[in-house]
Amino acid sequence: MALEIEVFSMDLKDSLSKFKQQQERCQSSLASIAASTAKPKHRAQPVNAPSAPARPPQPIKFSNDTERLQHINSVRKSPIGAQMKLVIELLYKTRQAFTAEQINEATYVDIHGNKAVFDSLKNNPKVHYESGRFSYKSKHDLKGKDQLLVLVRKYPEGLAVVEVKDAYPTVIEDLQALKAAGEVWLLSNMDSQEDIVYPNDPKAKIKVDDDLKQLFREMELPRDMVDIEKELQKNGIKPMTNTAKRRAAAQINGVQPKAKPKKKQREITRRTKLTNAHLPELFQNLNN
């Protein structure tokens, strides 16, 4: 029993000795680390030397990568409609076919990771999806001014500009060029405030409703020019003449307006040259 106690005592002494050695090594390592990181002492400044002004705290600046990650997060957390708008604008401006990965790189819209966005794009009438690629789809597939003119001539009763304005990026400029060249007419609809393009082709046959023809025949214009000018002003049209002002000036100067002799109304015969030959429905009752 005494022998066992003696052996245990020796083992305990050896363990304590090893523990002390480890502590000494740790303290030495800590001392060397503290010495290497110790701040250098500031140089003593003269007593009369002015103290350096304190620097204002600099604002925290995020790295470009941090800003990009924040932007990606805001895009992917935005509503489905906002994400679709980004994609459709990309397809409209470039007129190219993009894969989902290319769209993700350009807009940060993760189509594969958001099934709702994927399904909405596939079913959108402005998007064409084929073989894993998305592209812009307009109502009329036009490539330039010549094809635009061919399309307009197919609509003698007028074609709404809104139906072709997204066919290709410069379609509005081409419409203005066709108008300047006298190929088409661009008119505004007074009710819908939309522009309508008409082909400028005298051979085009325009179908006129019976109600419109009857209204045309029954319409009676005012006899006096003053009344005509008033009617024009009521409809928002500025007359080119001012008959009332002209008559008042004539009376002041003592000049009596000459009464114009009534012209005998010419009967329309088949020899009469018609300027509205493209509206034959209005001149069916011609004298032989």
Side-chain angles (χ1 to χ4, degrees), residues 39 52 84 144 171 242:
K39 295 182 179 179
M84 288 181 59
V171 66
N242 192 335

Side-chain angles (χ1 to χ4, degrees), residues 207-239:
K207 183 180 179 181
V208 181
D209 295 336
D210 293 336
D211 295 340
L212 182 59
K213 289 186 285 185
Q214 185 67 22
L215 181 64
F216 176 81
R217 295 189 181 103
E218 294 177 353
M219 187 176 296
E220 183 178 357
L221 293 176
R223 299 292 181 182
D224 196 332
M225 192 62 187
V226 175
D227 296 331
I228 293 178
E229 293 171 354
K230 289 180 179 179
E231 290 295 328
L232 290 174
Q233 292 175 350
K234 287 181 182 179
N235 290 276
I237 303 174
K238 184 179 179 180

Side-chain angles (χ1 to χ4, degrees), residues 54-70:
R55 293 183 179 180
Q58 297 294 328
I60 299 175
K61 294 183 178 180
F62 294 102
S63 64
N64 293 334
D65 190 60
T66 303
E67 293 178 354
R68 186 177 67 86
L69 292 176
Q70 287 180 337

Side-chain angles (χ1 to χ4, degrees), residues 171-212:
V171 66
I172 300 299
E173 289 81 354
D174 286 347
L175 281 174
Q176 294 294 339
L178 291 173
K179 177 184 176 182
E183 297 287 350
V184 300
W185 296 102
L186 272 176
L187 303 176
S188 295
N189 189 312
M190 299 300 292
D191 297 329
S192 61
Q193 300 297 321
E194 292 181 354
D195 290 336
I196 309 294
V197 57
Y198 297 88
N200 186 14
D201 186 1
K203 297 180 181 179
K205 294 183 179 180
I206 300 177
K207 183 180 179 181
V208 181
D209 295 336
D210 293 336
D211 295 340
L212 182 59

Side-chain angles (χ1 to χ4, degrees), residues 54-176:
R55 293 183 179 180
Q58 297 294 328
I60 299 175
K61 294 183 178 180
F62 294 102
S63 64
N64 293 334
D65 190 60
T66 303
E67 293 178 354
R68 186 177 67 86
L69 292 176
Q70 287 180 337
H71 179 62
I72 293 174
N73 185 56
S74 64
V75 168
R76 295 182 178 176
K77 286 187 175 181
S78 62
I80 296 175
Q83 297 187 51
M84 288 181 59
K85 182 180 179 183
L86 289 175
V87 176
I88 293 176
E89 285 181 349
L90 172 69
L91 302 179
Y92 173 76
K93 291 178 180 179
T94 60
R95 300 304 171 106
Q96 298 178 4
F98 289 85
T99 63
E101 291 77 11
Q102 291 172 333
I103 292 175
N104 188 12
E105 292 178 0
T107 63
Y108 302 125
V109 176
D110 186 11
I111 296 178
H112 284 325
N114 194 328
K115 188 176 182 301
V117 175
F118 179 78
D119 293 339
S120 298
L121 285 173
K122 282 182 62 177
N123 298 324
N124 192 283
K126 293 295 184 182
V127 177
H128 177 70
Y129 179 74
E130 184 179 3
S131 302
R133 290 182 175 270
F134 298 85
S135 60
Y136 189 82
K137 181 173 67 176
S138 57
K139 184 175 181 179
H140 300 282
D141 186 16
L142 305 175
K143 304 300 182 184
K145 183 167 59 176
D146 294 337
Q147 294 183 5
L148 176 62
L149 181 59
V150 172
L151 176 67
V152 173
R153 286 176 175 172
K154 293 180 180 179
Y155 293 85
E157 298 180 7
L159 176 66
V161 175
V162 70
E163 294 189 9
V164 296
K165 71 177 184 178
D166 64 341
Y168 56 93
T170 60
V171 66
I172 300 299
E173 289 81 354
D174 286 347
L175 281 174
Q176 294 294 339

